[in-house]
Amino acid sequence: MSLTHRPSTGFAYLLPAIAFTAVFVLYPLLQLVYFSMTDKSLMGGGGYIGIANYVRAFNDKAFWQALRFTLLYTAFLTPLLMGLGFLLALLTMRNSPLPKLTRGIIFLPVVIGLGSSSLLWFWLFDQQVGLVNRLLVDLHIIAQPLAWFTAVGTGFMAICFSITWKVVGFAMILFVAALQSIGQEMEEAAIIDGASYWQRVWRIFIPLSRRTLLMATLISAIGSMLAFDQFYIMTGGGPRGQTFTTVYFVYQNSFVFFKLGYGAALSIILAAIILAGSTLQVWLSRRSAGS
Amino acid sequence: MSVAVQPSQKRTSFKRLAFNVACILICTVMLAPLLMSLSASLKSPSEANLVPPTYLPSVYSLANYAKVFNYQVGLVTYVWNSLAAAGLSIAMCLMLSVPAGYGLARYNFRFKEAWFLFLVATMMLPFQALLIPLYLMFAKIGLANSHIGLALVHTVIQLPFSIYIMRNSFEGVPKEIEDASYVDGCRSFTSLRRVMLPLVMPGVVTVALFAFINSWNEFLAALIFLNNEKAFTVPILLVSVRTGIQGAVDWGALQAGVMLSVVPCIAIYLLLQRYYVSGLLSGAVK
Amino acid sequence: MKSFTVSNLMKCGLAGAALALFSASAKADDINIWARSSAANAVNHMADLWNTTHKDKIAVTVIPDNQMVTKLATSVTAGDVPDLISFDLIYMPDFMKAGYLIDLTKELSADPNQAKVAKAFRELGTFEGKIYGTGFTPDVSILLYNKGLFKKAGLDPEKPPTTLAELKDDAAKIHALGPDIYGYYFSGNCGGCNIFTVAPMMWGSGAHLLPANGQDKALDGPGVKEVLQTFQDMWKGGMVPASAQADTGANFQATFETGKIGMQGSGGFAIAALKDKHPEIDFGIAYLPGIKAENASSFVGGDVIAVPKGSKHADIAKAFIAWELTDDAQLNGLAKNNILPSRTDLADNQFFKAEPRYVTTAKAVGIGQTPWVFHFNDMVNSDSSPWLQMLQTAIFDGKVDDAIAAARESLKSIASN
């Protein structure tokens, strides 16, 4: 039996994926690193300039603005998604018909594309033809149709609302899985001991879903740091460039201004930040789990 | 006796009512945007652009769908192309992630976790940044303007997630089953194919579903890697069909486009629902 | 059931591979032209006309407007180009300088039709004495006004405003008709829309807007401040609907079509759309006004046609370009379909005689300008460009001088790259 569990066999199974990643991810990434040290442009030309792009990024106010905005967006949305996802999981964790149906419907927006979802909400929030304004006016909540995307606050809210609609189902399903794997006995014991529902949530459900919570938080945070489509489609970076995210900013530099070199440097910086943040989160969670 | 039972019964039935109401309310909020889009897509083009908007169409019309259907080389071509890219992407994702997941879950070798991180770290990169180096590479080796090339790019985006799901799926299979198959004389690969694979079908279906969704909806790589109208995929069609001069948006065409993008994804979701939901449930919890 | 799914997935993959191999090949004698989605209609007409009379067929590939330049640049960089390209003329300088286009000087300087093409196209198509492209599907910006509302407001419907002061005055009178009737409309969140319809008012009055290089002037001369001030007054006075501020161009045409807007900067393309979908709106076409009556101007825009370096059928491509400048193509391909011809000598043609508003539009080409600059995308069209930020800060935030100063600095820094 130990013969068929040779380590090299295991590695052999991994080889196709490793080869693929090496050719189609690592190699372009190395090229990107090379570009980042040149002033290559899509309009031709570009010579070696060392770390000039990185120095430029360090001094680029617009880049820091985009980064700050992205961090703010991540910091706001991640707890919202995790909290709401967990609450929805608590609501629908039983396997009787109505909770199962609700689960299925909450998950539905996850399977449509992000582009389709952003367009859908772009239309709904449009000041002139959008139904959100029509509804709010009809319900007398606001007097005049709101221009959602001309102010950072309302634009931010609109985007967060639309993204929550789109992805909360994914978090919910992960948490339902975690909750369902906890098992009845522990909960029943707690009920016998007189614990109220919320005490059970706080003392049993949350601690025992810890690993899922952390993993979901990590994935959600990375996704938010890399956000692009929804801002591109819904706000166009406005008003006055205040809703550019980091990836959007990279897109502008690489694809619109044709500055491939600078765009490459910005991408590397962003990837490094995400890597650092993820490592930190994993390390912190391992440490607290150990204690 | 009846006095002691009644209040708790009332509380339970009140709780049940509140629970049902909450579920129904949530379902309504989640479904409403899609239903509104469907209704708008069935309006006449001029009513779809009306300010302020109407909730439901006053007259039902398929004009928006007709516009999308007949655009340039015709919707059918675009759908064929999208399906080609999606099909290839699904096949590639599975061929790479199933063995990788199996190897990671069932074997121990040096630097296993490091290799895992290597494979999964792509998730931390903005893939838009990789598009141009990839495009230049593909153009040199003749893969530009082909659906295989596009499918490769889509696989790059989906592979980390797929490997993650498959690893968890395999880890969820009890060791005894596999050990039993070895006792019966199976070698590793046969065991994988005959015994393990059917057991991780939920994970496989999850991978296929998400690979499909990702590929079907992907716009930027499709636009950059494809050169010919006859090769274009559905997302490109939908951007062109709804944009007019100076960025004027044909809202009716936009809705029809959203519906056409969304319906196949929802259809596949509903068809495979019991597979992948339990796939995520059993697999991704670790 | 489970193995059914596995083999199905395999079949899926194989079918996909088969489809991919099948669909990646194209017919051998097709040549391919890339066109912007907003010009798709015009280009399709021209392509169809060519295909009825020529052996080598041309196929049109439509690229979404705001991706066109990116796609062209990446394709040429990779050597993966179509046979012909048609794109916004404003990007010609960048492409010519980058060496991405084939030199057409020999063919075009010998072509008598080329000399009759509108000046803007001839200028934009020339770099360091060589010709790289010519006009294909032009358009020009004009002032669109609602004659019905003019009459109701007591204004003479045959006398549209000829100065900025008159524009503001007329807008005020129209807005006085009612709270939901507005004097003027523009897309306040769209750089391209406003370089098309607001900039002509500035350069007609004498301003030089965009710098061609680091030393060139930016936003200089009479017109910049006056136009921004006029717009700001109209905005403050409620003569412009609140929705204008957020409009990215999505509702560029739709708002005028509600019949509640007195005037709007628009383009020749609006004529056919209005006549077709809203015959109830009695509309007029005028030149975009400047400070003084003689400052009327326009933005001469639209698409050029050029041959990218690496084009596999350069000879057929050049033949197509020569053909599209002929009377037959210009009249039967463009004018007949209510599209402006790029040759100014054909402005007064039999198709336009039935609709005098087209004649006005065609004449507007003669009084118009087109900026000849590099990095136009950065300066004007990109999300939150300096041009757009200037408009928004001046008109909506009310800080005209600050807006101009900030934009001038940004524009100069872009131009010196």
Side-chain angles (χ1 to χ4, degrees):
Chain A
M1 242 192 284
S2 57
L3 230 78
T4 50
H5 278 274
R6 260 202 305 258
S8 55
T9 323
F11 187 72
Y13 277 118
L14 222 55
L15 268 178
I18 291 180
F20 182 88
T21 308
V23 172
F24 294 111
V25 179
L26 189 61
Y27 180 65
L29 186 61
L30 292 173
Q31 272 200 306
L32 208 65
V33 174
Y34 173 66
F35 284 169
S36 74
M37 296 194 283
T38 67
D39 59 358
K40 188 173 166 72
S41 153
L42 267 182
M43 283 297 176
Y48 186 76
I49 54 172
I51 58 165
N53 280 328
Y54 292 94
V55 174
R56 182 165 161 203
F58 190 72
N59 292 319
D60 191 344
K61 270 195 301 214
F63 175 62
W64 286 107
Q65 152 78 10
L67 191 59
R68 249 196 320 255
F69 179 74
T70 313
L71 286 167
L72 184 72
Y73 171 71
T74 306
F76 178 78
L77 196 62
T78 311
L80 175 67
L81 284 173
M82 295 299 107
L84 190 59
F86 198 78
L87 285 174
L88 288 173
L90 285 173
L91 185 71
T92 59
M93 61 186 273
R94 309 285 171 216
N95 277 330
S96 46
L98 185 59
K100 273 179 97 169
L101 177 70
T102 310
R103 240 190 272 152
I105 290 184
I106 297 177
F107 193 77
L108 196 64
V110 176
V111 305
I112 71 178
L114 183 58
S116 303
S117 166
S118 303
L119 275 176
L120 181 59
W121 287 99
F122 176 61
W123 166 67
L124 284 173
F125 277 112
D126 185 76
Q127 194 207 15
Q128 301 190 43
V129 300
L131 284 174
V132 170
N133 276 330
R134 173 85 205 267
L135 191 67
L136 291 176
V137 167
D138 284 351
L139 292 175
H140 299 293
I141 300 180
I142 57 177
Q144 284 278 39
L146 261 181
W148 289 88
F149 300 117
T150 51
V152 184
T154 45
F156 188 80
M157 269 204 304
I159 290 201
C160 287
F161 191 83
S162 72
I163 292 294
T164 307
W165 175 84
K166 169 120 184 34
V167 305
V168 76
F170 192 78
M172 176 199 71
I173 288 280
L174 292 178
F175 294 147
V176 166
L179 291 173
Q180 286 187 346
S181 72
I182 284 178
Q184 301 259 20
E185 307 86 33
M186 220 174 277
E187 201 188 350
E188 276 164 14
I191 296 177
I192 291 174
D193 281 349
S196 73
Y197 181 68
W198 292 106
Q199 280 178 318
R200 297 202 299 275
V201 169
W202 195 246
R203 296 266 172 80
I204 299 181
F205 290 150
I206 293 184
L208 289 179
S209 316
R210 215 191 141 76
R211 290 186 67 182
T212 310
L213 268 165
L214 287 167
M215 188 210 66
T217 307
L218 186 64
I219 294 186
S220 175
I222 293 179
S224 297
M225 286 299 290
L226 293 175
F228 169 61
D229 292 52
Q230 57 270 39
F231 292 94
Y232 179 70
I233 292 178
M234 292 170 84
T235 66
R240 318 282 190 289
Q242 291 168 292
T243 59
F244 277 124
T245 57
T246 326
V247 176
Y248 197 167
F249 191 72
V250 170
Y251 173 83
Q252 286 280 88
N253 277 286
S254 294
F255 289 82
V256 178
F257 304 157
F258 303 139
K259 297 200 209 98
L260 284 184
Y262 190 49
L266 294 173
S267 312
I268 305 275
I269 295 177
L270 177 63
I273 293 176
I274 294 179
L275 184 63
S278 309
T279 315
L280 186 68
Q281 187 188 349
V282 172
W283 180 73
L284 279 174
S285 70
R286 289 248 171 95
R287 257 193 44 170
S288 60
S291 68
Chain B
M1 180 81 162
S2 51
V3 175
V5 169
Q6 259 179 338
S8 74
Q9 266 189 335
K10 269 211 191 119
R11 246 186 297 134
T12 330
S13 57
F14 174 73
K15 266 204 266 179
R16 191 170 302 156
L17 182 68
F19 177 82
N20 291 349
V21 167
C23 281
I24 293 180
L25 215 65
I26 291 175
C27 288
T28 315
V29 170
M30 296 308 275
L31 282 177
L34 290 168
L35 293 173
M36 291 283 93
S37 179
L38 177 64
S39 114
S41 71
L42 293 170
K43 290 180 184 170
S44 69
S46 44
E47 191 185 349
N49 288 324
L50 209 56
V51 178
T54 54
Y55 287 109
L56 290 173
S58 51
V59 176
Y60 284 87
S61 150
L62 288 175
N64 297 313
Y65 287 99
K67 180 175 178 187
V68 176
F69 196 81
N70 293 321
Y71 193 76
Q72 296 298 114
V73 293
L75 180 66
V76 178
T77 308
Y78 298 104
V79 170
W80 258 152
N81 293 331
S82 277
L83 289 177
L88 284 168
S89 172
I90 292 175
M92 281 190 248
C93 272
L94 288 174
M95 287 194 297
L96 294 170
S97 65
V98 170
Y102 182 58
L104 287 165
R106 279 283 177 262
Y107 292 83
N108 274 310
F109 44 90
R110 258 190 323 164
F111 302 126
K112 178 167 90 159
E113 293 305 322
W115 283 118
F116 178 60
L117 218 60
F118 172 69
L119 291 172
V120 157
T122 318
M123 277 205 285
M124 292 191 233
L125 291 172
F127 82 92
Q128 294 89 346
L130 292 176
L131 282 182
I132 294 194
L134 277 170
Y135 176 63
L136 295 174
M137 185 205 301
F138 280 19
K140 277 206 203 94
I141 60 181
L143 272 179
N145 199 35
S146 75
H147 294 122
I148 297 181
L150 185 61
L152 280 168
V153 179
H154 289 169
T155 308
V156 164
I157 303 173
Q158 270 303 110
L159 192 61
F161 181 71
S162 309
I163 292 180
Y164 186 82
I165 293 278
M166 286 320 303
R167 176 181 183 171
N168 281 307
S169 246
F170 277 111
E171 279 175 354
V173 176
K175 276 204 148 68
E176 298 79 45
I177 296 185
E178 197 188 356
D179 293 348
S181 73
Y182 286 138
V183 169
D184 284 347
C186 275
R187 290 186 56 211
S188 167
F189 189 70
T190 326
S191 163
L192 170 63
R193 206 161 46 90
R194 292 257 180 82
V195 179
M196 298 291 273
L197 204 53
L199 292 172
V200 293
M201 208 30 83
V204 168
V205 171
T206 307
V207 167
L209 176 75
F210 279 97
F212 176 81
I213 295 169
N214 171 59
S215 176
W216 176 261
N217 287 296
E218 203 283 323
F219 170 72
L220 197 59
L223 180 71
I224 293 191
F225 283 74
L226 298 174
N227 265 348
N228 198 309
E229 191 77 35
K230 296 200 202 81
F232 278 174
T233 55
V234 173
I236 304 177
L237 156 72
L238 296 180
V239 174
S240 294
V241 80
R242 67 167 177 267
T243 327
I245 301 187
Q246 301 292 358
V249 173
D250 179 349
W251 296 105
L254 185 149
Q255 302 307 338
V258 168
M259 282 294 113
L260 287 169
S261 298
V262 160
V263 163
C265 298
I266 293 185
I268 295 194
Y269 160 80
L270 291 174
L271 277 170
L272 299 177
Q273 206 193 17
R274 61 191 156 112
Y275 278 124
Y276 79 82
V277 170
S278 64
L280 283 175
L281 288 176
S282 71
V285 184
K286 309 278 158 63
Chain C
M1 186 61 169
K2 288 164 185 170
S3 54
F4 170 74
T5 324
V6 173
S7 68
N8 245 34
L9 285 169
M10 299 275 189
K11 283 186 198 149
C12 205
L14 286 171
L19 273 169
L21 291 168
F22 178 70
S23 48
S25 58
K27 284 209 289 284
D29 57 347
D30 260 1
I31 66 166
N32 202 8
I33 181 172
W34 286 1
R36 289 196 292 165
S37 59
S38 57
N41 180 44
V43 178
N44 279 331
H45 282 303
M46 292 296 261
D48 291 343
L49 190 60
W50 164 278
N51 284 337
T52 54
T53 51
H54 291 82
K55 183 172 52 83
D56 300 306
K57 306 295 174 195
I58 186 167
V60 180
T61 291
V62 173
I63 314 278
D65 275 35
N66 60 0
Q67 304 289 350
M68 178 53 123
V69 185
T70 308
K71 180 130 181 80
L72 277 176
T74 52
S75 295
V76 179
T77 310
D80 180 32
V81 294
D83 305 300
L84 266 175
I85 48 179
S86 157
F87 57 98
D88 195 336
L89 84 175
I90 210 74
Y91 298 114
M92 275 300 269
D94 284 315
F95 278 90
M96 292 188 293
K97 180 166 166 206
Y100 284 172
L101 305 173
I102 287 186
D103 185 358
L104 302 170
T105 318
K106 199 168 67 129
E107 290 83 1
L108 285 177
S109 50
D111 190 340
N113 288 326
Q114 166 69 1
K116 302 178 199 158
V117 170
K119 191 161 81 108
F121 286 107
R122 280 183 283 125
E123 273 176 10
L124 266 288
T126 309
F127 181 67
E128 292 177 348
K130 302 209 190 83
I131 309 178
Y132 292 93
T134 186
F136 187 40
T137 54
D139 208 341
V140 68
S141 57
I142 36 79
L143 184 71
L144 185 62
Y145 67 99
N146 190 325
K147 286 188 181 174
L149 288 177
F150 261 58
K151 273 191 229 148
K152 278 209 204 120
L155 298 162
D156 184 349
E158 301 313 315
K159 284 223 170 80
T162 54
T163 69
L164 286 177
E166 278 176 34
L167 185 79
K168 192 165 68 169
D169 219 44
D170 293 353
K173 293 207 174 84
I174 294 175
H175 182 52
L177 287 173
D180 63 338
I181 311 241
Y182 297 94
Y184 198 81
Y185 187 81
F186 63 99
S187 296
N189 202 13
C190 171
C193 312
N194 293 310
I195 198 77
F196 192 59
T197 57
V198 175
M201 299 180 186
M202 295 179 179
W203 65 53
S205 310
H208 179 84
L209 294 180
L210 303 175
N213 55 57
Q215 290 75 46
D216 197 9
K217 299 201 189 81
L219 302 173
D220 184 70
V224 185
K225 185 161 170 184
E226 290 80 349
V227 170
L228 289 175
Q229 195 59 58
T230 308
F231 273 71
Q232 207 237 327
D233 293 340
M234 286 199 290
W235 172 255
K236 263 204 315 224
M239 302 172 223
V240 180
S243 58
Q245 193 180 4
D247 188 8
T248 56
N251 295 310
F252 185 70
Q253 286 183 262
T255 320
F256 188 84
E257 291 173 358
T258 61
K260 302 217 178 89
I261 304 286
M263 297 173 281
Q264 178 183 348
S266 186
F269 54 80
I271 301 179
L274 280 169
K275 282 172 67 176
D276 197 35
K277 288 190 287 176
H278 292 273
E280 77 277 6
I281 300 183
D282 182 17
F283 67 94
I285 302 283
Y287 302 140
L288 290 164
I291 302 178
K292 298 194 261 226
E294 58 269 26
N295 293 146
S297 186
S298 71
F299 184 115
V300 182
D303 288 20
V304 289
I305 190 168
V307 187
K309 264 221 172 70
S311 162
K312 296 192 185 62
H313 297 99
D315 45 341
I316 308 180
K318 290 182 194 173
F320 182 85
I321 295 181
W323 169 82
E324 67 99 359
L325 291 175
T326 60
D327 287 13
D328 176 41
Q330 296 271 309
L331 291 173
N332 293 317
L334 297 174
K336 186 160 148 199
N337 296 305
N338 297 325
I339 303 163
L340 278 180
S342 39
R343 279 171 46 190
T344 47
D345 62 317
L346 295 173
D348 241 330
N349 59 70
Q350 82 244 55
F351 297 107
F352 286 179
K353 276 199 173 35
E355 175 52 81
R357 288 176 287 207
Y358 278 123
V359 180
T360 316
T361 313
K363 292 212 179 112
V365 174
I367 58 166
Q369 291 182 32
T370 316
W372 200 113
V373 292
F374 301 111
H375 310 301
F376 185 81
N377 228 10
D378 305 28
M379 291 188 197
V380 173
N381 274 347
S382 73
D383 297 325
S384 292
S385 64
W387 164 256
L388 182 61
Q389 294 207 37
M390 175 185 78
L391 288 171
Q392 294 176 327
T393 314
I395 301 175
F396 304 122
D397 297 345
K399 308 198 192 97
V400 178
D401 290 313
D402 291 343
I404 299 178
R408 189 177 284 137
E409 215 188 282
S410 302
L411 289 173
K412 282 192 128 134
S413 110
I414 294 175
S416 39
N417 264 346

